[in-house]
Amino acid sequence: MAKLTVIIPTLNEESNIQRALDSVFFADEIIVIDSFSADRTVEIVRNNNIRLIQRTFDDFSSQKNFAIQQASHDWVLLVDADEEVTPRLQKEIRSTLSKTTEMVAYTCIRRNFVRKKKLKFGGHTNKIIRLIRKDRCTYHGLVHEKIHADGPVGALKGVLNHYTYKSFPQFKDKIEHYAVLRAKELIQKKPVVGFFHLYIKPLARFCIHYFLKLGFLDGREGFVFSYAMAYGVQQRFKELEELIATKNESRI
């Protein structure tokens, strides 16, 4: 059976990291790449005798691509600190790696939770590439980074649990961090930000999750998730607006 390296990027994830680690001990190697956390994240990782690499954060793709190159094995599973590999997905990964395959990567299903409630509507799941051949796949993009796979991509049926929302202050910090990075991407395209971007697009995002995708059927958590998605869109364009203003001022 092919051996597996799991990579977990972290920054101040003391409330999540142990759950993520507990779900990946089936792997042959685990690497935590930490962006110099200021909480107990590093202490928890060291208590688990996990390989720890600390590297200053520049962007998500660079961080993950660097970690992938440190992997001892050809197959790599990327897991965020707020995620959990379910037993079914563990079993499916082991089974997949026990066979010869032409695939260079595999998608899995990610299921969203708000606090401890599993969402059933409103964008509750999505498919993402997480199991990759390290020599055939690379990340691109500063935020919401995507994997470019140089070859065929298969699909796993197992689920990756995503505990995306613990409290609004915690989620707000995450959204604002993503918004800054996304704005830096968008500024390269000579954008214009107006009323449509700051108000209509966020409202549309809320309506998509809450009404079209039936998020209201998830109750309070469905509203919270839909609102958080809309807030993320608005923050992205607010950050972009500030970058445009700064850029224009520098030309004066």
Side-chain angles (χ1 to χ4, degrees), residues 7 21 38 48 53 60-61 64 76 86 105 121 166 173 184 198 216 250:
I7 291 173
L21 290 174
N48 282 269
I53 299 171
F60 288 101
S61 289
K64 290 181 179 179
V76 173
T86 58
F121 304 94
K166 184 176 65 175
D173 288 344
K184 289 179 179 177
L198 292 170
F216 63 89
S250 67

Side-chain angles (χ1 to χ4, degrees), residues 12-19 39 41 44 81 166 170:
N12 298 330
E13 293 284 0
E14 65 179 11
S15 63
N16 288 316
I17 187 60
Q18 189 61 59
R19 178 183 58 227
D39 63 0
T41 299
I44 294 169
K166 184 176 65 175
Q170 166 264 336

